[in-house]
Amino acid sequence: GDSVTQTEGLVTLTKGLPVMLNCTYQTTYSPFLFWYVQHLNEAPKLLLKSSTDNKRTEHQGFYATLHKSSSSFHLQKSSVQLSDSALYFCALSGLANSGTYQRFGTGTKLQVVP
Amino acid sequence: EAGVTQSPRYAVLQEGQAVSFWCDPISGHDTLYWYQQPRDQGPQLLVYFRDEAVIDNSQLPSDRFSAVRPKGTNSTLKIQSAKQGDTATYLCASSTGDLQDTQYFGPGTRLLVL
């Protein structure tokens, strides 16, 4: 079935270092991929989304490229800040024969330390 | 512009009790979603509406959960006879389109079933 995999549960990094959070997906339909960020005790907010193959999408210093050939949509940032500490979810949406569907990954907690 | 509002913010129940959650979406958003987010997991879509119509409730445990949006604006999610496994945060979100469009999440209701 349709699914999203985020392999890292917790990533701890020193401020200023680059980060890549992994997201791979499985679907037989044309996918939309999303990254949501959820700060402690706050609601998830959309960070990035894409449905275009091999096109880089950027927002607030974060970027991701949807690669349909490898079914991936990894989230990257060149220099993390303390304020980036949060839970990051990758999500997949698509249009199946039975209707639209959505799947969230289990999330990756990013912890940035001084 | 006001965001998505939810109430109550917290609820503590004994097993077997009932509880209702209320959501007021962003004005003009015709699509409303309810998610269940267990601790340290990603959100799982329970049900979503376009206006007053249920589009997908396939993940809603129909024997104890129900959701309505009678006038196509506010919505109520109800759990009859809560179980400890229902302990989670219940998130409401709204959008102007469907699952491929940006969703705006409310702050959630944290439910603890003892």
Side-chain angles (χ1 to χ4, degrees):
Chain A
D2 310 298
S3 65
V4 176
T5 301
Q6 293 181 250
T7 50
E8 309 101 350
L10 172 65
V11 172
T12 302
L13 284 174
T14 301
K15 173 185 168 184
L17 290 179
V19 65
M20 184 169 84
L21 305 182
N22 291 316
C23 173
T24 56
Y25 64 91
Q26 276 190 309
T27 183
T28 54
Y29 305 102
S30 186
F32 275 75
L33 271 296
F34 304 79
W35 276 101
Y36 283 87
V37 57
Q38 187 175 25
H39 288 93
L40 189 63
N41 297 324
E42 294 184 12
K45 293 179 184 176
L46 180 69
L47 188 56
L48 296 170
K49 66 177 182 180
S50 179
S51 60
T52 305
D53 199 12
N54 297 318
K55 182 180 177 182
R56 177 164 152 156
T57 301
E58 298 189 39
H59 185 60
Q60 295 182 339
F62 287 91
Y63 58 95
T65 303
L66 176 60
H67 292 296
K68 293 184 180 180
S69 59
S70 58
S71 298
S72 68
F73 190 58
H74 305 319
L75 181 68
Q76 299 183 72
K77 190 176 188 186
S78 58
S79 174
V80 293
Q81 304 303 309
L82 294 175
S83 58
D84 294 328
S85 294
L87 199 51
Y88 292 81
F89 293 103
C90 183
L92 163 70
S93 180
L95 179 60
N97 293 335
S98 56
T100 52
Y101 66 89
Q102 185 171 67
R103 302 286 184 269
F104 275 79
T106 51
T108 297
K109 185 176 182 179
L110 174 63
Q111 201 169 53
V112 181
V113 298
Chain B
E1 179 184 83
V4 177
T5 56
Q6 292 185 246
S7 65
R9 294 296 310 277
Y10 304 92
V12 181
L13 304 174
Q14 297 291 332
E15 274 200 321
Q17 290 186 304
V19 63
S20 292
F21 308 132
W22 180 83
C23 174
D24 189 5
I26 292 173
S27 177
H29 282 194
D30 54 6
T31 311
L32 184 147
Y33 313 82
W34 283 103
Y35 290 87
Q36 181 190 61
Q37 185 180 17
R39 186 179 177 84
D40 297 328
Q41 294 186 35
Q44 179 175 346
L45 183 66
L46 293 174
V47 58
Y48 80 100
F49 299 84
R50 187 163 299 119
D51 298 320
E52 67 278 4
V54 173
I55 303 302
D56 184 356
N57 62 358
S58 59
Q59 301 303 310
L60 194 68
S62 58
D63 58 335
R64 296 185 300 109
F65 285 65
S66 62
V68 294
R69 194 185 184 200
K71 296 182 180 179
T73 51
N74 302 335
S75 177
T76 303
L77 175 69
K78 185 173 184 178
I79 306 177
Q80 300 269 21
S81 189
K83 298 181 178 180
Q84 286 187 351
D86 298 333
T87 293
T89 296
Y90 290 83
L91 294 166
C92 179
S94 69
S95 75
T96 56
D98 62 16
L99 287 168
Q100 290 147 6
D101 294 299
T102 301
Q103 295 180 40
Y104 297 84
F105 285 83
T109 297
R110 290 191 183 183
L111 173 65
L112 174 61
V113 183
L114 302 173

